[in-house]
Amino acid sequence: FPTRRSSDLPRIITINKKNEGAASARNLGINLARGELLGFIDADDFISPLMYDTLYTLMKENGASLGICDISIVDVGGKKLMYNRRQYKDKIEILSREDAFSYISKFLCFQSSATKLYHKTIFKNLRFPEGRTNEDQFIVHHVLDLCSKIVFLHEEFYYYVQHDNSICGNLRRNIGLERDINDFIYAINDRYNFFQSIDLSEMAHNALIAKYGYIMRKLSNENYFQHNKLLNINISITIKQLLSSKYFKDKLRAVKMLVKLLKRIYIDRQ
């Protein structure tokens, strides 16, 4: 790959490669990196100048292999679009692997690869899945599984810019909604199977809830109407999985939803 080293900042190397998606670019960066820490920033987002320095300091002080900060969703002018109204007892949390697993469903920043500072050893045998969208959803549980201690800073140091030309928006237009749906469900199914394999059934249940919420949002979005058959099939499978989960309390409601859904699928096929 052609590389260019900055004369003003000799430690910075620019790599030119064919556009093959975020996962491919990140994997190349991991392979070529020589430092002990790794971070990823999406092209249309920005970070606080304090982000990496603060996370590095906290990781070093606490012997953590992963640092995570909170995320702020802003428009192209930097105006905040969503406000975090949570009240935190502690600004800094030191989490175990199991604690961090439970935070995947609670905090958006845990689902993003860009809100983190990683010790490079995490990626010794781990890479992002190339050729798929929603690569962050696929890899997050595998990353946390390799960390015995995680630092979580309740400070919005990463700024996710939401606009029509975002990476996610362009991906969905370019690759098609059906592939986007399939890749997300593939990622969540991987998370569900992963948690089942290590006997964390409550975390597996949380993965099902995430999949259920995703599909229901798509079913109510007119842009996805042409993919209702695919969504209906997956939501029925997900409801059946929820019914078998001991953590799902309102099973009568789930049965009613499944019956209603099956009627809808039958009508769609007529």
Side-chain angles (χ1 to χ4, degrees):
F1 296 95
T3 62
R4 179 169 56 84
R5 193 178 294 272
S6 169
S7 57
D8 297 328
L9 298 167
R11 291 190 301 166
I12 295 179
I13 299 174
T14 303
I15 303 165
N16 297 312
K17 73 180 294 292
K18 179 182 177 182
N19 185 356
E20 297 173 299
S24 175
R26 290 173 181 174
N27 287 340
L28 178 60
I30 292 168
N31 294 339
L32 297 179
R34 295 293 177 264
E36 66 178 48
L37 300 168
L38 295 171
F40 311 101
I41 306 173
D42 288 337
D44 41 1
D45 299 336
F46 61 97
I47 66 172
S48 163
L50 301 174
M51 175 177 161
Y52 285 137
D53 182 61
T54 305
L55 290 178
Y56 170 70
T57 300
L58 290 172
M59 288 168 65
K60 195 169 183 179
E61 289 176 350
N62 294 280
S65 55
L66 181 68
I68 306 173
C69 69
D70 220 330
I71 189 170
S72 180
I73 300 177
V74 300
D75 63 17
V76 290
K79 181 181 179 181
K80 186 177 286 191
L81 298 176
M82 292 179 62
Y83 287 86
N84 188 347
R85 303 188 185 281
R86 291 176 183 263
Q87 297 295 318
Y88 303 109
K89 181 180 177 181
D90 299 304
K91 187 176 178 181
I92 300 168
E93 291 188 71
I94 310 301
L95 306 174
S96 67
R97 163 180 168 270
E98 288 74 17
D99 291 334
F101 283 151
S102 70
Y103 276 29
I104 296 174
S105 60
K106 297 177 182 177
F107 295 95
L108 179 62
C109 57
F110 271 72
Q111 299 172 32
S112 169
S113 295
T115 56
K116 301 173 177 67
L117 183 62
Y118 309 77
H119 197 282
K120 193 184 177 184
T121 53
I122 292 172
F123 289 96
K124 182 179 179 180
N125 297 305
L126 182 65
R127 293 294 185 272
F128 289 90
E130 297 188 25
R132 292 188 180 273
T133 60
N134 295 292
E135 63 277 349
D136 287 357
Q137 294 289 346
F138 176 86
I139 205 169
V140 57
H141 45 286
H142 296 293
V143 166
L144 297 177
D145 184 48
L146 296 169
C147 303
S148 58
K149 188 181 289 186
I150 298 109
V151 175
F152 180 23
L153 173 65
H154 292 285
E155 193 77 53
E156 295 177 350
F157 279 162
Y158 190 90
Y159 298 89
Y160 172 81
V161 180
Q162 193 172 76
H163 53 76
D164 291 340
N165 293 319
S166 67
I167 289 176
C168 290
N170 283 331
L171 272 173
R172 292 185 177 108
R173 279 188 289 273
N174 293 335
I175 67 170
L177 298 180
E178 183 172 341
R179 179 178 162 193
D180 184 58
I181 293 168
N182 281 326
D183 283 352
F184 184 90
I185 292 172
Y186 170 83
I188 299 302
N189 284 341
D190 179 85
R191 187 181 304 167
Y192 171 78
N193 292 330
F194 168 76
F195 285 135
Q196 288 282 67
S197 71
I198 58 174
D199 296 323
L200 290 178
S201 55
E202 186 173 4
M203 299 301 102
H205 173 80
N206 289 341
L208 291 178
I209 293 295
K211 184 168 65 166
Y212 171 81
Y214 170 85
I215 297 172
M216 291 304 293
R217 287 193 297 274
K218 297 303 182 254
L219 282 170
S220 63
N221 186 330
E222 63 181 15
N223 294 323
Y224 288 80
F225 280 176
Q226 62 179 310
H227 304 293
N228 272 5
K229 184 177 180 180
L230 172 64
L231 291 166
N232 284 335
I233 291 171
N234 278 284
I235 195 67
S236 61
I237 293 171
T238 304
I239 291 174
K240 289 176 183 177
Q241 288 175 310
L242 283 170
L243 283 171
S244 66
S245 170
K246 67 179 181 180
Y247 295 98
F248 193 70
K249 306 301 181 184
D250 196 356
K251 296 194 176 185
L252 178 60
R253 177 170 172 262
V255 171
K256 290 179 178 178
M257 290 167 58
L258 183 57
V259 170
K260 184 177 180 181
L261 185 61
L262 291 172
K263 287 181 179 179
R264 178 176 172 177
I265 294 172
Y266 176 77
I267 292 170
D268 287 345
R269 288 177 177 176
Q270 301 307 303

